[in-house]
Amino acid sequence: MILELDCGNSLIKWRVLGGASMGGVVDSDEALLAALRGVSGLFLSGVRLVSVRSDAETASLVSMLEAEFAVPVLCAQPALSLAGVRNGYAEYARLGLDRWLAVVGAYQLAGGACLVLDLGTAVTSDFVNAEGEHLGGYICPGLPLMRNQLRTHTRRIRYGDEAAEQALQSFQPGRSTAEAVERGCALMLRGFALTQVELARERWGEHFSIYLTGGDASQIEAVLPQASLVSDLVFIGLAQACPLPGVR
């Protein structure tokens, strides 16, 4: 069995490959260990991970996993090129590793020009041409950041998660603060995504693929029916960055 980890600043996404494959999302190293200890019949032969945490935090997690499971842990590293994709940043090591692996994963699926939209705490877009050249992309705040900035800096904006969820049942003009904020932020997200598609069309006409990933990807599925929602896009790239014997 192989353990794969996508370690963000606040959450860790994990999955086990082999046997009865399973996975989940946790908010700490300790919660990860507890979740893994709860997997019946777990016997790991390898671990691979991508982390955007500090070097010290990543090293601590690696040490914990190696001590618990007595297996090597492979960590994805920045690269100028990988699996047919050439990093487009002037300083290639400054491109976020999770973003880089999502780009690599998308190109493996597309085999040609593609647009990658990752909708998480921050929203990123990346453009890759048919030859595998990463052309760069854009970053903007995601729904959590937009919502929290309004709540933090506007005193009268106060509402709970239940009101936020109910507000997104419609996109009619909001008749309460929760509706106005939630629908406004969601429409900004949709507008960003549609703009990225138009920019891709200016370059490639209709000859490109669109991939959506990240926790809020479902928010824009309706306006991009031609896109593919691939929740494990980073893991597809991780397999290229950290190959393990007998595992794809």
Side-chain angles (χ1 to χ4, degrees):
M1 296 179 179
I2 300 297
L3 173 63
E4 296 184 324
L5 303 171
D6 177 4
C7 306
N9 290 306
S10 56
L11 298 175
I12 301 173
K13 182 178 180 181
W14 65 275
R15 72 176 185 180
V16 174
L17 301 180
S21 298
M22 63 181 303
V25 178
V26 294
D27 60 4
S28 69
D29 294 359
E30 293 73 23
L32 172 65
L33 196 56
L36 293 173
R37 286 171 174 168
V39 177
S40 178
L42 181 66
F43 181 80
L44 295 179
S45 58
V47 179
R48 56 190 175 201
L49 67 81
V50 54
S51 175
V52 297
R53 299 170 159 194
S54 69
D55 291 342
E57 290 171 318
T58 302
S60 176
L61 175 59
V62 168
S63 296
M64 183 193 79
L65 293 169
E66 289 180 339
E68 179 75 16
F69 299 106
V71 292
V73 177
L74 301 181
C75 299
Q77 300 296 325
L80 182 59
S81 62
L82 175 64
V85 183
R86 185 174 177 83
N87 194 313
Y89 263 30
E91 298 178 63
Y92 73 88
R94 298 298 296 270
L95 178 62
L97 272 173
D98 52 349
R99 187 175 160 201
W100 168 236
L101 294 185
V103 165
V104 170
Y107 190 72
Q108 301 313 299
L109 296 177
C114 56
L115 168 65
V116 184
L117 295 170
D118 190 341
L119 297 102
T121 303
V123 173
T124 63
S125 68
D126 285 282
F127 299 77
V128 186
N129 69 16
E131 291 70 44
E133 290 287 336
H134 172 230
L135 306 177
Y138 301 90
I139 304 174
C140 74
L143 282 178
L145 285 178
M146 286 191 282
R147 179 187 298 123
N148 290 339
Q149 284 296 303
L150 283 169
R151 286 178 173 176
T152 300
H153 296 289
T154 307
R155 291 186 179 182
R156 292 184 178 274
I157 293 182
R158 295 288 185 273
Y159 56 88
D161 292 339
E162 184 177 351
E165 185 176 345
Q166 291 177 348
L168 290 175
Q169 301 301 311
S170 164
F171 283 98
Q172 292 297 314
R175 301 186 68 178
S176 69
T177 299
E179 290 179 353
V181 169
E182 292 299 318
R183 294 173 189 178
C185 289
L187 289 173
M188 286 186 71
L189 197 65
R190 290 184 171 200
F192 176 84
L194 291 170
T195 298
Q196 303 311 299
V197 173
E198 287 306 310
L199 290 172
R201 284 187 177 133
E202 289 175 7
R203 288 181 176 274
W204 303 313
E206 298 297 329
H207 304 294
F208 66 97
S209 302
I210 306 170
Y211 293 97
L212 307 179
T213 194
D216 284 322
S218 60
Q219 296 285 346
I220 63 171
E221 276 189 287
V223 296
L224 292 177
Q226 73 273 43
S228 298
L229 176 59
V230 185
S231 61
D232 61 352
L233 203 53
V234 170
F235 286 144
I236 295 173
L238 180 60
Q240 298 294 323
C242 300
L244 289 165
V247 180
R248 297 187 63 183

